[in-house]
Amino acid sequence: MVPDLPAVREDGGGGIDRPRKFLHDGIPNGGTNGAPPNTEAKLQPDFSPPKLTSYAPPAEKGALYRTRQTFWPPLKAVPLASYYKLHRVPSLDSLTATVMAEEQNDVQAIELPHSEASHVEEPQDRSPPPNGVHNKILENIVRTPGRQPSPQPTHLSVPGSSQHRVLPDQGSGYVAPKFDGKDQQMDQVMDQIEEKGFIPPEFVESETNWFYNELGIDDMYFQTESVSAIVNHILSLYAGKVAAFARGDGRLEIRLDKEAADHAVYIDTSRPGISVVDGPRYEQRIDEKYINGSVGDRSYRVESFRSASPLPGEKEQQLRCYFVYKCQFAYPNPGLEETNLDIIGDKRFLQKATLNTRDIYQGVMNHAVNRTGPVIEMFEMKGSREKRLVIAYRQGSAMGLFSALSDLYHYYGATSSRKYVEQFSNGITIMSIYLRPLAQTPESMKHPPIEASIHQIMKEVSLLYCIPQNKFQGHFASGRLSLQETIYAHCVWVFVGHFLNRLGSEYKSLASILDPNNSAHVEMLSKIKRRLRTETFTSDYILEIINKYPELVRALYLAFANTHYVQTRGEQDDFLPTLSYLRLKVDPVLNDSQLKDKISKAVVNEHDEMVMTAFRVFNSAVLKTNFYTPTKVALSFRLKPSFLPEVEYPQPLYGMFLVISSEFRGFHLRFRDIARGGIRIVKSRNKEAYSINARSLFDENYNLANTQQRKNKDIPEGGSKGVILLDVHHQDKVRVAFEKYIDSIMDLLLKPVSPGIKDPIVDLHGQEEILFMGPDENTADLVNWATEHARKRGASWWKSFFTGKSPRLGGIPHDAYGMTTLSVREYILGIYRKLNLDETTVRKLQTGGPDGDLGSNEILLGREKYTAIVDGAGVLVDPQGLDRTELLRLAKKRVMISEYDTSKLSTDGYRVLVDETNVSLPSGEVVDNGMVFRNTFHLRGGQHFDTFVPCGGRPESIDLTTVHKLIVGGKSTFPYIVEGANLFITQDAKLRLEKAGCILYKDASANKGGVTSSSLEVLASLSFDDTGFAENMCIRADGTAPAFYDAYVREVQETIKRNAALEFEAIWREHQHTGIPRSTLSDTLSIAITKLDEELQKTELWNNLTLRTSVLEDALPKLLLEKIGLELIVQRVRCPIVHGGLGEMTGKQLLMRAIASRPSPSTMAVTRGANNITAPRAAYVPTSAPASRQTATKPKTKKITTAKKPAATKANTSKPRAGRKPGAAAKDKTATGRVAKKAMAPKKAAAPKAKTVNKRDPSLMDKVQGVAEKIVGAIEGKPGKKVRFLPLLCTHLHGGGSAKVHGGHVQAAGTKKIKGTDGKGATRAKRG
């Protein structure tokens, strides 16, 4: 649905010479001498075809009028409102009645203007339309402030080329080499036909001559096929004629197909302009068998011809022939950027294509190699109304497009005479279709002239490219719904499948009755929830319901279109550009209450009403979409997530994107405006796995983003995540899906300033949005493309758009530097240190093998005794310990365990691969299915492991229904678990394992090194200008790294380890004191930090320059401060990030300092019971301030110092009081023991220091104190807990001491480090 093109295209492509007003979205809007048209005019009753010789423009007498965009024959225009009334006429009788009525009214037709100088004056009086539609014009849509332009759209072309011309030749553009032996072959064919005796001798010559000379088959076919094959084809055609006579209906039906190894032939009877939905569907077969899978030396080219005359005895039926040939490339691997047709072309194409065709294809090819989506061009045929439509796209990016295009031009009353599909060895497919109008009949008059419809076809090719075969294609092929309506219905079908409220109020009531602390109740509720979600509304059931109500779909689409379509030509845009949107001129647009009433009256039961009501929910949730953008590769929708039920999704989302294409569906979710998270692609091994993945797609994405939100406590950004689910039939389209996903989301992030390419969209969100993304499963090798693509599209934030990119682009690859693994290892080593374990004797199980990022680095950095590894290839086990040298070889090579040298296994060792069956283990057990064995190995009993480190695997691999397999006799079979893989274990399963004695650190704490690295990478990219970024952060062409880059990477690594050690100690210590499960402490700590951050950002902290400078200097990397300076960093980095860094760092320091300084359970008041607080954001963990900065600030705060003996120094070895059960302290929120009172009571020496600070800024400090008390009070359910946060804050802000970590132990500066806590007897720390 593309508005008409402007005078200039920013990418150099052609457009219309100057903006013009169009009727039928292509015909210049008429009126005599530039007067506005009579909008009440009706369709002229004259059905006679236009005379092409009667028009001679004054500019060049005798020539055909044309612009760069369109060749105009002398047609008469029709107001679209009147035209549309005829467009849906179901029968010729009603059409005739309408025409007769118009004849009685003596309606005059509107003539086209005969000069380019003609113009349309704006009507003086514009009254509201009778149907109440007020369409948005360009100047009135909601603007997004500060959106950056996209001056170099590089992914799609637009109708028309930069050198558009009328083609002089009337031929096909192909000239087959003359077959010198054609006459001799023809004689041989006739001889064999006579010998077979099926055709009477007197008809043999006429039938053969008809086949050879009247069907339009070129010599290539006769040169390729054998005599016997041609004889069989002619006999089949004759048999069809005999069958038609025998049936008595006289209908000639010929259906012939022949498929060989390197070519195929299909012949079928065809009525021009009609899509046959119940026939042999040869075009669909060609798509599925040949075009869709074309790649490299398995590519196929297609030629199709329609007979020039009707079949004998038929007025409408013609013969359609399809010829498929396997491509033969002289250069099969030329490179993706190669454009020379002589190098990349198929031998047959180079042999047959005329110079004119090669010139056209060369121009299209030059554009296609630089685009992500299709290139669409149209050429006029001189002296004819025939149009040549040329479409180029990357192989495999538009499955089913060849057959879908037929439905598209049939819908607009056009038919094709010839079609060609050419494959090129650089991976580009080019289609060339010759379109002509249907013969003039009363029935064909309901379609617009081809001079108008060709532009609509060109515009809708882009929409069709996104989803060539949608779930409602039958409605489109039959004409019941338009292409826009069916694709809209397809998108809502996807939406309904994910978000229909399947649980209902009964589930909520049941959940409130059951005891959440009773594991049996929780398990039962979980099973009910899972069953309700999977069995109530299946995707097929939803599809069946929507198919019953095409009229409701039409009305709901009108409401959607009325909101999101933009009139790009302002008030002069009287005639809207799409046939489905034309209904706005005829049918009333219903408001939401009217739609609700219409649905209630139309549906037959409650389930139907629920599904159709979800259309209304979808319409109200869409804030912006690229549905009406002229050039797109997938459909993207920015949704308002307020429709999500709180009972299922308790933590509210901030932003939500839904992306739909034929190859995939995907989401991007974030919990804050400024958020960070990776993009993962989910594959499915079979249809059953796809069905399961589709049902859990959104929940998985939500949980991943929520986990990211909790583990982002060390950075200013919130949590986000993107998940792409490949369609079951497109499992090999990883790159295609990723590119479409990224580009379509960018359509909604960038300001569209290239009219005709990226037209303005309706933005109901009204705020600038920037997403920060990173690599995840199956996307690590694609982030470089995303970065370059953002730069080509003109995004000012291209440097920070994706992290984990190549060092050449300034990235810090997580896998190369082990960023994620460094954090996980700190937790593993922390457990060993606390329990005095020898790492080399620990027996270890790891999921996620040596081929992955986390898995390979865990093998490289760890020194445990590996006894089992599970990865995508299968299971590798050796109770005596796997050979470390062999494991290191696999990890460095990044390959799966399928390459492990099994000769290095002991007699008790074994390997079972996923595709193996009936495998005997050393114990005598027989494994029936390797896939099932792999998927459930971590749940098997009888295993002997000490440490379990999930470094890979699907979410919820251990849940409440399976966790009992890991608990034997009330004790966990895994003593220690560090969850490196996100969401591997559900929260309720974690709590059960901890109750059974397992020491478990969850993903939100352990797996956060990558996000810290990404955040600091983005901070550097935003802090440097482009020149400084290239000089300091980009690896040079010779492979050498700038000195700053190497030093910065080391600082990032140290920050990750320091943050992990700090949190490990905090959780370990608080669990020792309170008995609260570590999984709960991880969440509550994150939530409390986030809550403090949010509250602190509402205060006036930012306006206090001294305070702000002190905090940011402590929070930002030292190298950046030295290289750029704080002032420039603050200017260049987006304000929300800097504000977030201030709040996060301050909030985290308050909590960490409180934990480190008090042994009593009440010191964790700010985190206890915080599970119901909004999900967390993050905070930078500050590095220790340089001595120079401490010295500079010391005179201002010399009276404020930390206590010489903080409670933390004795808290390390304290134990719960005798007689109190572990966790009793957690339940007793009012406990005030002697130690607790001592920790909570302000010391006499501290009082005057607080007063000193209040003198400096009493208003600000009062607010900060109030914030801390408010948080504690809210969490504890008390009006306001008095907590000594103020002295802690003042101490931190004014240099009295900074928290440090030594050997993983938290220590306040100015105190002595506890000897031996790191297991090595470290030296005492110097005073700050």
Side-chain angles (χ1 to χ4, degrees):
M1 310 206 158
V2 187
D4 291 307
L5 302 177
V8 179
R9 266 178 44 194
E10 298 191 12
D11 66 342
I16 303 173
D17 289 331
R18 59 167 170 256
R20 293 174 57 83
K21 178 97 166 106
F22 287 92
L23 190 65
H24 284 324
D25 203 28
I27 302 177
N29 189 2
T32 306
N33 297 326
N38 176 11
T39 57
E40 298 299 323
K42 300 291 192 298
L43 177 65
Q44 72 168 24
D46 184 10
F47 287 103
S48 60
K51 298 179 181 179
L52 299 178
T53 58
S54 63
Y55 177 58
E60 183 179 355
K61 187 174 182 180
L64 293 173
Y65 172 76
R66 69 177 185 271
T67 69
R68 286 184 179 180
Q69 179 69 11
T70 310
F71 156 71
W72 304 114
L75 298 177
K76 296 198 173 181
V78 181
L80 289 188
S82 300
Y83 150 73
Y84 181 69
K85 290 177 181 177
L86 294 179
H87 179 65
R88 292 290 181 184
V89 173
S91 66
L92 183 60
D93 294 338
S94 57
L95 174 64
T96 306
T98 304
V99 171
M100 292 177 61
E102 291 174 347
E103 286 178 343
Q104 294 175 1
N105 295 332
D106 194 23
V107 177
Q108 299 296 320
I110 303 172
E111 296 288 337
L112 286 171
H114 286 184
S115 171
E116 290 193 25
S118 301
H119 65 280
V120 180
E121 297 178 358
E122 185 174 345
Q124 299 298 320
D125 181 24
R126 180 175 294 276
S127 58
N131 63 348
V133 178
H134 295 275
N135 297 311
K136 296 155 294 301
I137 63 173
L138 188 60
E139 291 76 14
N140 294 338
I141 63 173
V142 178
R143 289 295 184 185
T144 302
R147 292 181 74 184
Q148 299 301 316
S150 177
Q152 294 180 335
T154 60
H155 54 299
L156 294 181
S157 183
V158 295
S161 64
S162 57
Q163 297 293 330
H164 186 73
R165 60 189 182 276
V166 176
L167 301 180
D169 63 282
Q170 290 294 310
S172 65
Y174 289 78
V175 177
K178 186 176 181 180
F179 179 29
D180 294 331
K182 186 175 181 179
D183 292 338
Q184 181 180 358
Q185 184 193 65
M186 188 173 177
D187 291 337
Q188 295 174 0
V189 167
M190 287 188 289
D191 291 342
Q192 287 196 18
I193 292 176
E194 288 180 350
E195 290 176 5
K196 291 182 179 294
F198 289 106
I199 300 178
E202 60 270 23
F203 294 152
V204 169
E205 183 175 356
S206 61
E207 291 295 322
T208 305
N209 184 66
W210 173 70
F211 183 82
Y212 266 80
N213 300 319
E214 295 185 26
L215 294 184
I217 304 174
D218 64 20
D219 284 4
M220 180 66 71
Y221 163 78
F222 297 105
Q223 191 171 3
T224 303
E225 292 292 343
S226 64
V227 171
S228 59
I230 297 174
V231 168
N232 288 335
H233 293 168
I234 295 175
L235 290 175
S236 298
L237 295 177
Y238 184 79
K241 298 177 184 179
V242 175
F245 176 80
R247 283 195 305 269
D249 58 7
R251 290 186 59 194
L252 180 58
E253 291 185 357
I254 299 173
R255 292 172 180 174
L256 170 69
D257 60 89
K258 176 195 173 184
E259 297 174 350
D262 59 349
H263 70 283
V265 177
Y266 304 93
I267 300 177
D268 187 21
T269 48
S270 170
R271 181 182 174 186
I274 301 298
S275 293
V276 181
V277 296
D278 57 351
R281 301 179 70 81
Y282 287 140
E283 291 191 351
Q284 284 76 10
R285 188 190 299 188
I286 292 171
D287 261 332
E288 295 170 3
K289 191 164 186 177
Y290 299 105
I291 300 179
N292 290 348
S294 286
V295 59
D297 58 358
R298 300 191 305 275
S299 298
Y300 293 86
R301 60 185 301 272
V302 181
E303 298 180 8
S304 177
F305 312 98
R306 180 179 293 278
S307 61
S309 58
L311 293 173
E314 294 280 348
K315 294 182 179 180
E316 297 178 340
Q317 294 277 71
Q318 294 178 338
L319 207 61
R320 166 70 78 178
C321 305
Y322 302 91
F323 303 96
V324 182
Y325 302 99
K326 189 173 184 179
C327 293
Q328 300 176 9
F329 298 115
Y331 302 93
N333 301 297
L336 298 178
E337 303 301 321
E338 180 60 60
T339 60
N340 189 332
L341 296 186
D342 291 321
I343 296 177
I344 61 178
D346 167 68
K347 292 180 180 179
R348 284 191 179 91
F349 166 76
L350 297 175
Q351 193 176 27
K352 296 178 63 176
T354 64
L355 290 176
N356 187 50
T357 293
R358 294 185 59 164
D359 183 44
I360 292 172
Y361 280 29
Q362 187 65 68
V364 171
M365 179 65 69
N366 293 338
H367 287 294
V369 295
N370 295 317
R371 309 285 173 110
T372 303
V375 176
I376 308 164
E377 305 283 2
M378 186 270 290
F379 301 88
E380 308 287 348
M381 304 299 293
K382 185 177 181 180
S384 169
R385 297 182 69 191
E386 192 170 58
K387 317 294 178 186
R388 186 174 183 180
L389 184 63
V390 181
I391 304 167
Y393 60 94
R394 295 190 180 275
Q395 287 178 341
S397 64
M399 312 291 255
L401 184 62
F402 178 67
S403 56
L405 283 170
S406 298
D407 294 335
L408 177 59
Y409 58 71
H410 289 167
Y411 184 84
Y412 287 102
T415 187
S416 63
S417 57
R418 300 178 303 281
K419 295 192 284 191
Y420 300 89
V421 180
E422 301 293 350
Q423 308 287 353
F424 296 88
S425 58
N426 65 345
I428 299 295
T429 299
I430 298 182
M431 294 183 182
S432 183
I433 304 174
Y434 292 76
L435 298 177
R436 59 177 57 170
L438 296 174
Q440 295 290 335
T441 64
E443 187 175 357
S444 68
M445 284 301 293
K446 67 179 181 178
H447 298 292
I450 193 171
E451 289 73 21
S453 62
I454 186 61
H455 296 282
Q456 191 57 43
I457 293 169
M458 294 172 70
K459 294 168 185 178
E460 297 200 12
V461 166
S462 177
L463 188 62
L464 194 64
Y465 173 84
C466 297
I467 309 177
Q469 301 288 337
N470 66 73
K471 289 292 182 179
F472 304 92
Q473 192 77 15
H475 288 290
F476 173 49
S478 62
R480 287 189 296 269
L481 293 173
S482 70
L483 177 65
Q484 298 91 335
E485 290 161 341
T486 56
I487 291 184
Y488 162 78
H490 178 96
C491 293
V492 182
W493 169 74
V494 173
F495 175 87
V496 174
H498 289 292
F499 301 116
L500 193 64
N501 187 1
R502 296 150 291 183
L503 302 184
S505 58
E506 294 83 358
Y507 174 85
K508 186 175 182 180
S509 301
L510 180 61
S512 64
I513 295 172
L514 297 179
D515 181 9
N517 297 318
N518 187 316
S519 60
H521 289 188
V522 174
E523 185 171 351
M524 182 182 68
L525 195 64
S526 176
K527 291 180 178 179
I528 292 174
K529 181 178 181 180
R530 188 186 303 272
R531 186 164 185 174
L532 285 173
R533 285 186 165 184
T534 57
E535 297 182 5
T536 308
F537 286 91
T538 64
S539 60
D540 290 339
Y541 183 40
I542 295 170
L543 182 65
E544 178 186 340
I545 291 173
I546 298 174
N547 267 315
K548 294 192 295 186
Y549 303 104
E551 292 299 326
L552 287 181
V553 170
R554 191 173 299 153
L556 289 158
Y557 170 77
L558 285 182
F560 171 83
N562 189 50
T563 300
H564 293 283
Y565 179 75
V566 179
Q567 295 175 245
T568 57
R569 294 191 297 271
E571 290 293 339
Q572 294 185 357
D573 199 357
D574 291 322
F575 298 98
L576 300 168
T578 61
L579 294 183
S580 57
Y581 199 85
L582 291 173
R583 202 171 287 110
L584 289 173
K585 291 293 183 180
V586 179
D587 298 341
V589 178
L590 306 180
N591 59 35
D592 190 63
S593 62
Q594 291 172 325
L595 285 172
K596 180 180 180 181
D597 185 62
K598 186 178 181 69
I599 291 172
S600 299
K601 294 178 179 178
V603 297
V604 296
N605 57 50
E606 183 181 359
H607 279 188
D608 291 10
E609 184 173 11
M610 290 177 65
V611 170
M612 299 313 297
T613 298
F615 278 73
R616 293 174 43 231
V617 176
F618 175 81
N619 285 356
S620 63
V622 176
L623 296 177
K624 51 185 173 180
T625 176
N626 70 345
F627 194 92
Y628 296 100
T629 298
T631 53
K632 52 190 170 288
V633 295
L635 297 174
S636 55
F637 304 88
R638 168 60 162 91
L639 302 176
K640 180 171 58 177
S642 58
F643 66 88
L644 294 173
E646 185 178 356
V647 64
E648 295 189 58
Y649 308 103
Q651 304 294 347
L653 287 168
Y654 176 87
M656 176 177 174
F657 289 85
L658 169 63
V659 185
I660 300 173
S661 178
S662 58
E663 296 87 2
F664 70 95
R665 64 181 66 175
F667 291 97
H668 186 276
L669 310 178
R670 71 191 199 272
F671 283 90
R672 295 289 183 273
D673 181 16
I674 303 298
R676 158 168 321 289
I679 308 298
R680 67 168 50 183
I681 294 179
V682 177
K683 295 182 177 181
S684 309
R685 293 184 64 89
N686 49 48
K687 192 171 183 179
E688 180 184 3
Y690 173 79
S691 179
I692 295 172
N693 290 335
R695 287 197 300 266
S696 63
L697 174 63
F698 181 80
D699 288 349
E700 176 181 337
N701 199 160
Y702 177 88
N703 292 330
L704 286 169
N706 202 5
T707 300
Q708 193 80 20
Q709 173 80 355
R710 293 193 298 273
K711 68 173 149 179
N712 281 16
K713 64 175 73 70
D714 294 332
I715 63 175
E717 302 97 317
S720 69
K721 207 74 174 183
V723 178
I724 301 169
L725 175 64
L726 294 177
D727 185 80
V728 65
H729 301 297
H730 300 276
Q731 293 299 301
D732 58 336
K733 298 296 188 300
V734 171
R735 187 176 188 89
V736 170
F738 180 81
E739 292 181 358
K740 289 186 175 184
Y741 175 88
I742 294 298
D743 189 76
S744 58
I745 286 181
M746 290 181 67
D747 285 344
L748 304 184
L749 301 180
L750 294 173
K751 183 179 180 180
V753 294
S754 303
I757 300 173
K758 295 296 180 186
D759 282 335
I761 61 176
V762 175
D763 185 355
L764 300 180
H765 182 59
Q767 298 178 14
E768 180 186 13
E769 291 188 287
I770 296 179
L771 303 183
F772 297 110
M773 302 178 180
D776 207 309
E777 291 180 12
N778 299 311
T779 61
D781 58 340
L782 301 173
V783 296
N784 289 345
W785 176 89
T787 302
E788 296 282 11
H789 189 64
R791 176 162 58 178
K792 289 178 180 178
R793 289 201 60 179
S796 62
W797 32 262
W798 68 270
K799 299 192 300 292
S800 59
F801 182 42
F802 255 88
T803 56
K805 52 188 177 289
S806 166
R808 178 179 58 85
L809 297 172
I812 303 178
H814 297 172
D815 56 349
Y817 295 103
M819 297 303 188
T820 305
T821 311
L822 287 174
S823 178
V824 174
R825 289 302 302 171
E826 283 297 320
Y827 285 84
I828 297 172
L829 294 175
I831 294 174
Y832 299 161
R833 183 179 63 250
K834 292 291 185 182
L835 302 178
N836 294 320
L837 298 177
D838 181 1
E839 179 183 354
T840 59
T841 63
V842 174
R843 296 168 299 180
K844 184 176 180 181
L845 164 65
Q846 177 178 310
T847 58
D851 62 313
D853 168 8
L854 184 55
S856 63
N857 284 317
E858 178 65 22
I859 292 173
L860 294 173
L861 295 178
R863 296 188 300 123
E864 296 94 339
K865 179 182 178 181
Y866 274 93
T867 53
I869 293 180
V870 181
D871 70 0
V875 179
L876 181 66
V877 179
D878 193 335
Q880 306 304 320
L882 295 167
D883 185 87
R884 178 163 178 78
T885 303
E886 181 67 3
L887 286 180
L888 291 176
R889 181 185 71 84
L890 299 184
K892 292 176 181 178
K893 192 178 177 182
R894 286 291 181 90
V895 294
M896 293 185 180
I897 60 172
S898 55
E899 296 194 21
Y900 185 90
D901 184 358
T902 54
S903 66
K904 298 182 181 296
L905 292 173
S906 69
T907 55
D908 296 327
Y910 59 87
R911 184 183 67 187
V912 179
L913 302 181
V914 292
D915 55 355
E916 292 181 336
T917 57
N918 299 321
V919 179
S920 296
L921 304 183
S923 63
E925 178 186 356
V926 177
V927 176
D928 297 326
N929 186 297
M931 174 68 70
V932 175
F933 185 75
R934 190 278 307 269
N935 292 343
T936 60
F937 180 81
H938 62 283
L939 300 172
R940 286 170 55 88
Q943 307 295 315
H944 301 286
F945 305 108
D946 299 315
T947 299
F948 178 28
V949 182
C951 294
R954 296 298 300 145
E956 301 185 4
S957 292
I958 301 175
D959 59 14
L960 199 59
T961 63
T962 58
V963 69
H964 67 276
K965 297 180 180 180
L966 302 178
I967 301 174
V968 178
K971 186 176 180 180
S972 171
T973 58
F974 292 121
Y976 326 116
I977 298 178
V978 177
E979 189 183 25
N982 287 324
L983 303 179
F984 190 86
I985 311 173
T986 62
Q987 180 70 3
D988 45 14
K990 291 186 181 83
L991 297 177
R992 291 283 295 275
L993 287 169
E994 290 205 59
K995 187 177 181 181
C998 178
I999 297 176
L1000 189 153
Y1001 279 89
K1002 67 181 300 182
D1003 52 353
S1005 291
N1007 182 354
K1008 63 177 183 175
V1011 299
T1012 301
S1013 174
S1014 296
S1015 181
L1016 294 177
E1017 177 186 330
V1018 167
L1019 179 63
S1021 68
L1022 294 175
S1023 299
F1024 282 110
D1025 57 19
D1026 287 352
T1027 303
F1029 183 74
E1031 291 177 356
N1032 294 284
M1033 288 297 295
C1034 296
I1035 301 298
R1036 303 182 182 96
D1038 60 0
T1040 60
F1044 179 88
Y1045 181 89
D1046 287 337
Y1048 192 70
V1049 169
R1050 287 194 295 272
E1051 183 171 4
V1052 171
Q1053 290 175 324
E1054 290 303 316
T1055 301
I1056 290 171
K1057 291 192 289 185
R1058 184 170 55 250
N1059 289 345
L1062 181 68
E1063 185 170 340
F1064 172 86
E1065 289 292 339
I1067 294 175
W1068 182 278
R1069 178 175 304 177
E1070 201 61 28
H1071 172 75
Q1072 291 292 99
H1073 296 166
T1074 66
I1076 298 174
R1078 294 177 179 87
S1079 300
T1080 302
L1081 290 173
S1082 175
D1083 290 342
T1084 53
L1085 179 63
S1086 300
I1087 292 170
I1089 291 174
T1090 302
K1091 197 68 176 177
L1092 272 175
D1093 161 40
E1094 293 172 348
E1095 294 293 338
L1096 288 172
Q1097 289 191 50
K1098 297 175 184 177
T1099 68
E1100 300 174 7
L1101 284 175
W1102 180 259
N1103 298 327
N1104 187 305
L1105 181 60
T1106 304
L1107 183 150
R1108 181 178 72 197
T1109 301
S1110 176
V1111 173
L1112 292 179
E1113 284 182 347
D1114 203 19
L1116 298 176
K1118 180 178 65 174
L1119 286 174
L1120 276 183
L1121 290 170
E1122 294 174 351
K1123 190 75 175 180
I1124 302 173
L1126 179 61
E1127 184 177 351
L1128 267 180
I1129 292 176
V1130 173
Q1131 289 177 6
R1132 292 172 176 172
V1133 179
R1134 286 170 52 82
C1135 265
I1137 297 179
V1138 182
H1139 278 253
L1142 178 68
E1144 297 286 353
M1145 197 277 292
T1146 305
K1148 181 166 185 175
Q1149 286 300 301
L1150 288 174
L1151 289 170
M1152 291 301 186
R1153 201 76 61 78
I1155 294 171
S1157 62
R1158 293 177 294 166
S1160 169
S1162 61
T1163 62
M1164 196 56 182
V1166 292
T1167 60
R1168 187 184 311 139
N1171 285 322
N1172 58 347
I1173 298 179
T1174 305
R1177 277 179 64 183
Y1180 278 118
V1181 175
T1183 58
S1184 299
S1188 59
R1189 277 188 272 146
Q1190 293 181 7
T1191 303
T1193 57
K1194 190 173 181 179
K1196 300 179 182 179
T1197 58
K1198 59 184 179 180
K1199 292 184 179 181
I1200 305 176
T1201 59
T1202 54
K1204 292 183 179 180
K1205 294 182 66 177
T1209 59
K1210 292 185 178 180
N1212 295 327
T1213 56
S1214 64
K1215 299 180 180 179
R1217 294 204 317 245
R1220 183 185 296 274
K1221 295 181 180 179
K1227 297 178 181 178
D1228 185 10
K1229 297 184 179 181
T1230 61
T1232 54
R1234 181 172 55 85
V1235 178
K1237 290 180 179 180
K1238 183 178 178 181
M1240 294 297 295
K1243 295 183 179 181
K1244 295 180 180 180
K1249 296 172 185 176
K1251 292 179 180 178
T1252 302
V1253 176
N1254 284 335
K1255 277 186 178 181
R1256 297 170 58 130
D1257 193 347
S1259 174
L1260 175 61
M1261 291 298 105
D1262 287 344
K1263 289 184 177 181
V1264 174
Q1265 176 70 42
V1267 166
E1269 294 178 359
K1270 179 180 178 182
I1271 296 297
V1272 177
I1275 295 174
E1276 291 194 336
K1278 298 178 180 180
K1281 184 73 173 178
K1282 295 293 183 181
V1283 182
R1284 293 184 63 251
F1285 281 116
L1286 180 58
L1288 291 170
L1289 176 64
C1290 298
T1291 300
H1292 170 70
L1293 296 181
H1294 299 290
S1298 296
K1300 296 183 179 180
V1301 177
H1302 295 278
H1305 230 78
V1306 183
Q1307 179 194 4
T1311 64
K1312 294 181 180 180
K1313 183 180 180 299
I1314 298 175
K1315 187 174 182 179
T1317 53
D1318 58 356
K1320 298 179 181 179
T1323 58
R1324 296 175 182 273
K1326 294 182 178 181
R1327 292 181 179 272

